[in-house]
Each structure stands twice: as structure tokens, then as C-alpha cells.
Amino acid sequence: AFRRHIIWLKKNFTILPLSYLIEHLQKGKGLPRRACAITFDDGYENLYSYAFPVLREFSIQVAVFLTTDFIDKKAPLWVDRLEYAVGTTTIENLYVKFGHTPKKFSLASYGERCYADNTIRNYLKKIPAQEAIETLENIITTTGKDLSSTLFDSPYNGLSWEKIREMSNDGIEFAAHTLTHPILARVSEKEARRQIKESHGRLKEKLGKALPIFSYPNGQKEDFTEVTIALLKEAGFIAALTAIPGCLNADNDLFKLPRFSLDGTDRMHIFRMTISGAKEYLGRLARRLKK
């Protein structure tokens, strides 16, 4: 599926390295017609196994935003710990406190597990970071399933620095995506500064270089603030990417750049609708009509 996507993109777009695209936006220079850049977040090993061979085949440079504690094998991403706990436990019902109110989730079927994972995940993204961590640990204790003990043998495993260096030598760009993937708007200013500076510093330490471009974890408008942006500028970043869908133009704030997310777009017609902006346009139109 990824190979088909790349063939279509090469036919219909001018694929640029992210650093080149950002530099042109920064300097107000024009870009080629239908310019685009391809990015990946987090740093899963499957990027090396499945995407990298295709990127090398077609000589395409992409940017990868790394969650550095994950790459250092200190811990899995918290969203993966939740998914693993809910998806592999043998218990049939799970009780989770939403504030002071316990909420019951049935885990009897695959669909119910998906619903529980999605609902709990969205809730944890909206509460203070420490409260989210405590809730997650309670869920893991209740389910008896902790990804931390089986990470290296699982599909959730992260890239090694050795593979990252190989990819870097082949033209893949790497940049920071925090240490542990917290929602930066839900942590203290001190912790946000640490997450930003230390992840960027870790990349420079291991690779000798790092793009001065950032990717916000989760990346929605409520997930970062003007304080977050000030911290990025303080750390020397020149731009930051959201996960808010949209196309780039000359009026974009360089620290609120949109991206089209491609989860669940294996089918080509969905992929084309997403990349063209048609899916987002139709969604906005439907929301207006509902009003």
C-alpha cells in the first residue's frame, strides 16, 4: 500500500525534503506546483522494515520525528501501553475512573476493546499529565498486561540508533518529538522545556545533527499553547508541525503548520481524497450544513 502511495505522489506532486520546504516558507520564496513533504512521527521499527526500502527505491527524503526515550528503550509510548493492556487482557470488564465517576467498559469483543481503547485514550489526552499516568498505571495493574515487559518482541518496538544512523546517511532527516510523548499543554512549563530541549539535544548527541523543526505530540490545537511556542523558539527551533489537517500557504504560522494524517488510508481512493484536501473540505462543508 505504501509503495502505491509513493508512486501516486511522485506522479502528482513535487516531493521535497521538509527542511527545504520550511526554508522556502521561512524566506517567503515560491515553491514548485503541488509541493509536499512526507513526515513520520514517533520512530517505530516498522518504518525501517517497510517504508525505508520503498523510500530508498524511489530516492525520496522524508523527515522522522523521534520520541527519544522510546528510541533509548526506556519505555514504550503510553498510547501503546494502553492499547496493549486493553487489547490483550483476559478480563471481560474494565472499570476506569473518569474524574470521580467509574466508567465500565466491556472487553468481550474486538469492537468493544477498540471502543474502550479509543475512549480512554481521548480522555487521558485531556486531563493533567500526572493524573493520566496514574490512571494508565491503574489500568495496566487491573488488566495484568504491561507492554514494557514484551516491547522488544512486539510490533510496538522502536527504531535503534544504528538503524537511524543508516537512514540518516541515506538522506532521511530526523527531528525531535519530545522525550516521552506527553501532551505539552498538560504539563508544567518546566517539564515542557525539558521535553523539548532534551529530546533535541539527544538527537544531536547521537547523530551530530537534528532538524530545528518540531512535531507536537497529538498535534491538535488544544495540545500546545503560546508558551509552548515560546519554549520552542527559546530552544532554537524555526518551525513546528501540528496534526491539524490543511494545506500550506504563504500565510501559515511557521509554528502551527498543518499536516494531513494518513492513518486508515490504505485504500487508494481514501488516500487520494485525504492528500488532495477533498476529505477535509467535505468534512468542513458537512459541519457547516449541520449548523
Side-chain angles (χ1 to χ4, degrees):
F2 182 66
R3 194 173 187 278
R4 289 197 301 272
H5 294 171
I6 291 297
I7 290 170
W8 185 84
L9 283 171
K10 279 198 64 103
K11 181 179 178 181
N12 292 282
F13 287 81
T14 302
I15 305 174
L16 303 173
L18 180 64
S19 57
Y20 182 91
L21 189 149
I22 297 294
E23 180 185 355
H24 276 59
L25 287 175
Q26 188 182 32
K27 296 179 178 178
K29 295 181 179 179
L31 287 166
R33 184 171 177 267
R34 290 189 178 179
C36 77
I38 301 172
T39 65
F40 295 84
D41 283 0
D42 303 330
Y44 291 101
E45 189 175 41
N46 59 18
L47 172 63
Y48 180 87
S49 303
Y50 299 119
F52 183 45
V54 176
L55 297 170
R56 184 152 43 184
E57 177 186 353
F58 290 96
S59 301
I60 291 173
Q61 292 174 271
V62 303
V64 182
F65 293 90
L66 297 176
T67 307
T68 54
D69 274 8
F70 174 49
I71 302 302
D72 283 330
K73 315 300 182 186
K74 293 181 179 180
L77 297 183
W78 71 265
V79 290
D80 295 337
R81 293 183 72 201
L82 173 65
E83 182 176 283
Y84 182 79
V86 171
T88 64
T89 186
T90 56
I91 66 173
E92 292 191 356
N93 294 295
L94 175 66
Y95 293 86
V96 181
K97 276 191 177 181
F98 277 39
H100 297 293
T101 307
K103 184 175 176 64
K104 177 184 175 181
F105 293 95
S106 171
L107 305 179
S109 69
Y110 175 75
E112 287 171 326
R113 289 171 189 259
C114 290
Y115 171 78
D117 173 55
N118 188 58
T119 303
I120 298 167
R121 179 184 306 226
N122 288 333
Y123 171 68
L124 296 183
K125 288 176 180 178
K126 292 176 172 59
I127 62 177
Q130 188 55 44
E131 184 181 342
I133 291 169
E134 291 170 2
T135 303
L136 176 61
E137 293 298 340
N138 287 336
I139 291 169
I140 290 168
T141 299
T142 302
T143 60
K145 293 291 184 178
D146 191 350
L147 178 60
S148 299
S149 61
T150 59
L151 175 64
F152 301 142
D153 298 319
S154 78
Y156 300 99
N157 196 20
L159 288 163
S160 67
W161 287 112
E162 180 182 7
K163 289 175 180 175
I164 290 168
R165 279 189 286 270
E166 179 186 343
M167 296 169 74
S168 178
N169 291 338
D170 209 65
I172 305 299
E173 300 179 319
F174 290 91
H177 192 44
T178 72
L179 296 166
T180 61
H181 209 275
I183 306 298
L184 291 174
R186 303 286 181 268
V187 301
S188 67
E189 181 177 337
K190 180 181 178 181
E191 176 61 11
R193 178 182 284 108
R194 185 182 79 88
Q195 291 277 344
I196 291 165
K197 293 185 71 173
E198 291 188 15
S199 59
H200 187 56
R202 183 62 172 157
L203 274 167
K204 290 195 286 187
E205 176 189 338
K206 298 297 287 187
L207 300 179
K209 59 184 177 181
L211 283 183
I213 302 166
F214 191 77
S215 169
Y216 300 109
N218 207 47
Q220 300 306 305
K221 62 182 181 181
E222 66 271 16
D223 298 327
F224 59 93
T225 67
E226 292 303 316
V227 172
T228 316
I229 293 171
L231 293 174
L232 289 171
K233 292 178 179 178
E234 174 189 297
F237 287 88
I238 61 171
L241 307 185
T242 72
I244 301 167
C247 297
L248 297 172
N249 59 61
D251 298 326
N252 282 129
D253 183 330
L254 286 174
F255 286 85
K256 299 178 183 178
L257 294 175
R259 284 188 293 179
F260 288 116
S261 297
L262 297 173
D263 293 336
T265 59
D266 287 355
R267 289 175 295 174
M268 280 303 298
H269 72 286
I270 300 295
F271 177 79
R272 291 194 298 266
M273 284 183 66
T274 302
I275 291 297
S276 67
K279 183 180 176 183
E280 170 61 15
Y281 172 77
L282 291 172
R284 282 189 277 115
L285 183 62
R287 289 191 291 272
R288 278 205 300 270
L289 290 173
K290 280 184 179 180
K291 293 178 180 179

